[in-house]
């Protein structure tokens, strides 16, 4: 989009994302909530996602495991068994009944795991055999925090097998009724462990040059696109986020390199991806501390604008957006869609509250990752009756 052409665009301007017609631009960001007991989506998830659905809205699920080696949090849902697919159907149906579309975020944490989450207590897999430093702690199933163990670097021949797991998970997501999937290539997890030169120390075709470091992500994208169609595939990256030691010596260069390859893939396939989702540099919290080092105005603007300008397609931003900042980003043409995380946890009717410019509930961090199906999950209050328009009118 040409800068300036977005004048007058607000969070409530409709948007056509490929074949999907959205009635507003307030997207539910993917958020791990640890309520899928033993990896199976529970009825509470149907309630949670349904509460956050609006007519013409767009939701992205929490990170959802592509295989039995993918977990790094307790009680995260998977999408690699038939039982999981069957359970997801009920959640997708509840969201569709409210008129929203919903994408499933496909996740493998790579080295951000622990033996306790691995089959037969094995080592987590990664691009590297170097562990995440003691600066970061892993949440264990009993609620305590531990250190990240030494991972096992994948052998070259094993990498296509992991690509295949993403592909099968994407096919399963479509079987479950999802409108599409988002590939989680952000925040220091498996794909980011290949992308970032601060982690990837491989000497094979998946390490070294930026082309080699992008190879795993691009193989995943290509394989998923071939299986379910480009218009059902979103990609998330966070080149400027150092969560879990995911540092790169040239974040903008890396972001642009990914974008160049996504653009080329779109041209080669003569089809657009659903969107590219980029996390703002200022967001480093990710549930562990209240806030990380904020990016300066210049960093934020330069980085995100450069990527936005380079990407040929729908561009979604995430991280630290308020109602005002979201409005601003859209009016300035810096994004087509804005995803909201923490504010959507504590405000199930965030879309209506933004529309009315109503006060917001505060989120309670200590229940972000707990297992109670109600407390801190589905019990945040809606605006009281009579406070304005009903959601169905949005
Ligand atoms: C509790 C919690 C869980 C999250 N889980 C995920 C996740 O599974 N996948 C992901 O890509 N991002 C995840 N994020 C990041 C959010 O998608 C979002 O980008 C982040 O919260 C910044 O947006 P906000 O400032 O509106 O909260 C999570 C964030 C929070 C607070």
């Amino acid at each position: 989009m040409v800068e300036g052409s977005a004048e007058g665009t607000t969070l409530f301007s409709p948007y056509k994302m490929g074949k999907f017609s959205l009635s507003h631009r307030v997207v539910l960001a993917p958020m791990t909530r640890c309520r899928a007991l033993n990896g199976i989506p529970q009825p509470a998830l149907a309630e949670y996602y349904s509460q956050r659905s609006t007519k013409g809205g767009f939701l992205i699920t929490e990170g959802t495991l592509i295989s039995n080696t993918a977990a790094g949090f307790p009680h995260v849902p998977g999408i690699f068994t038939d039982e999981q697919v069957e359970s997801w159907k009920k959640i997708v149906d509840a969201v569709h009944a409210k008129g929203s579309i919903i994408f499933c975020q496909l996740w493998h944490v790579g080295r951000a795991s622990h033996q306790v989450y691995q089959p037969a207590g094995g080592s987590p897999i990664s691009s590297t055999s170097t562990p995440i430093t003691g600066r970061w702690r892993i949440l264990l199933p009993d609620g305590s925090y531990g250190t990240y163990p030494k991972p096992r670097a994948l052998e070259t021949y094993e990498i296509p097998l992991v690509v295949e797991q993403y592909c099968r998970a994407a096919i399963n997501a479509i079987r479950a009724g999802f409108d599409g999937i988002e590939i989680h290539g952000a925040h220091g997890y498996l794909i980011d462990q290949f992308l970032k030169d601060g982690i990837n120390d491989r000497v094979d075709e998946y390490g070294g040059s930026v082309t080699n470091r992008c190879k795993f992500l691009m193989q995943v994208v290509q394989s998923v696109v071939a299986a379910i169609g480009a218009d059902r595939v979103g990609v998330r990256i966070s080149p400027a986020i150092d969560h879990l030691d995911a540092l790169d010596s040239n974040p903008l260069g890396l972001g642009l390199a990914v974008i160049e390859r996504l653009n080329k893939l779109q041209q080669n396939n003569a089809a657009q991806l659903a969107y590219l989702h980029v996390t703002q540099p200022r967001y480093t919290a990710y549930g562990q501390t209240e806030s990380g080092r904020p990016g300066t105005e210049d960093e934020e603007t330069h980085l995100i604008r450069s990527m936005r300008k380079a990407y040929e397609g729908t561009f979604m931003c995430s991280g630290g957006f308020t109602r005002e900042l979201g409005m601003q980003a859209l009016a300035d043409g810096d994004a087509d869609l804005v995803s909201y995380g923490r504010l959507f946890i504590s405000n199930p009717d965030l879309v209506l509250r933004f529309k009315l410019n109503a006060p917001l509930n505060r989120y309670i961090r200590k229940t972000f990752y707990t297992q109670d199906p109600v407390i801190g999950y589905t019990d945040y209050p809606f605006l009281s009756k009579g406070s304005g328009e009903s959601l169905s009118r949005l």
Side-chain angles (χ1 to χ4, degrees):
M1 185 185 290
V2 186
E3 237 184 303
S5 68
E7 213 179 294
T9 304
T10 76
L11 286 169
F12 299 99
S13 308
Y15 183 72
K16 189 118 179 65
M17 183 179 79
K19 64 178 171 196
F20 302 106
S21 295
L22 307 182
S23 66
H24 61 82
R25 297 165 188 239
V26 183
V27 177
L28 173 68
M31 279 182 296
T32 295
R33 301 303 317 276
C34 303
R35 265 78 173 179
L37 302 182
N38 302 314
I40 308 297
Q42 304 291 314
L45 275 73
E47 174 71 8
Y48 171 79
Y49 285 108
S50 157
Q51 285 180 343
R52 285 154 186 80
S53 301
T54 50
K55 200 164 163 32
F58 180 25
L59 315 184
I60 308 167
T61 69
E62 60 212 275
T64 300
L65 310 175
I66 62 157
S67 73
N68 66 352
T69 63
F73 277 82
H75 304 293
V76 171
I79 187 111
F80 57 91
T81 70
D82 286 340
E83 187 184 1
Q84 291 162 344
V85 171
E86 287 308 310
S87 305
W88 271 120
K89 281 183 183 165
K90 296 172 202 133
I91 293 143
V92 174
D93 287 348
V95 169
H96 283 162
K98 291 270 194 84
S100 274
I101 68 156
I102 181 164
F103 275 34
C104 180
Q105 191 190 49
L106 301 188
W107 195 24
H108 194 303
V109 301
R111 68 176 182 166
S113 184
H114 189 276
Q115 291 89 340
V116 77
Y117 294 120
Q118 294 299 318
S123 298
I125 57 168
S126 183
S127 63
T128 179
S129 54
T130 303
I132 294 170
T133 59
R135 180 182 163 207
W136 310 94
R137 315 279 288 166
I138 181 164
L139 176 61
L140 297 170
D142 65 3
S144 67
Y145 283 86
T147 46
Y148 285 100
K150 186 174 160 60
R152 179 178 75 78
L154 284 163
E155 301 290 339
T156 310
Y157 77 87
E158 294 178 288
I159 296 175
L161 306 175
V162 183
V163 172
E164 178 59 28
Q165 291 173 346
Y166 277 95
C167 186
R168 261 185 276 128
I171 292 168
N172 283 344
I174 300 304
R175 278 176 54 213
F178 282 106
D179 300 288
I181 61 94
E182 176 176 289
I183 296 166
H184 192 346
H187 305 159
Y189 296 109
L190 184 61
I191 292 175
D192 212 19
Q193 290 160 26
F194 277 83
L195 289 174
K196 299 275 172 74
D197 65 6
I199 300 176
N200 184 336
D201 54 1
R202 304 182 71 85
V203 292
D204 64 2
E205 72 211 65
Y206 292 92
S209 67
V210 74
T211 297
N212 286 0
R213 284 183 281 119
C214 289
K215 191 166 176 175
F216 178 52
L217 168 64
M218 294 312 299
Q219 287 184 339
V220 171
V221 178
Q222 185 60 63
S223 135
V224 168
V225 161
I228 66 169
D231 53 358
R232 293 185 184 278
V233 178
V235 176
R236 183 168 207 189
I237 55 169
S238 61
I241 302 287
D242 70 351
H243 184 242
L244 302 173
D245 299 333
L247 280 162
D248 195 86
S249 56
N250 181 5
L252 180 56
L254 176 61
L256 293 176
V258 170
I259 287 171
E260 187 189 328
R261 285 159 181 78
L262 294 178
N263 286 342
K264 199 142 167 215
L265 181 136
Q266 299 187 124
Q267 284 155 18
N268 291 343
N269 285 279
Q272 292 270 303
L273 295 169
Y275 61 88
L276 176 66
H277 190 181
V278 181
T279 316
Q280 297 283 141
R282 66 180 166 233
Y283 183 66
T284 60
Y286 206 42
Q288 300 221 1
T289 54
E290 191 56 40
S291 66
R293 182 187 66 87
T296 64
E297 275 304 305
D298 279 358
E299 269 177 342
E300 295 285 326
T301 316
H302 178 61
L303 217 122
I304 295 297
R305 270 198 192 149
S306 307
M307 287 193 260
R308 194 292 193 270
K309 274 196 194 129
Y311 182 62
E312 293 160 9
T314 296
F315 192 82
M316 189 186 321
C317 281
S318 187
F321 282 94
T322 56
R323 179 181 188 276
E324 287 66 37
L325 286 173
M327 289 285 192
Q328 189 70 50
L330 293 170
D332 290 349
D334 289 342
D336 299 304
L337 301 170
V338 181
S339 80
Y340 288 89
R342 291 162 292 184
L343 295 181
F344 232 138
I345 287 181
S346 54
N347 296 278
D349 51 357
L350 186 67
V351 180
L352 177 62
R353 288 176 190 251
F354 276 175
K355 178 112 190 187
L356 302 176
N357 207 2
L360 301 177
N361 302 319
R362 291 173 69 89
Y363 52 83
I364 302 162
R365 182 174 294 280
K366 69 174 196 296
T367 51
F368 278 0
Y369 302 117
T370 45
Q371 277 76 62
D372 193 287
V374 175
I375 298 169
Y377 194 51
T378 54
D379 64 349
Y380 283 105
F382 286 76
L383 279 176
S384 57
K385 282 210 167 62
S387 42
E389 300 166 62
S390 83
L391 275 176
S392 62
R393 284 177 52 199
L394 291 178

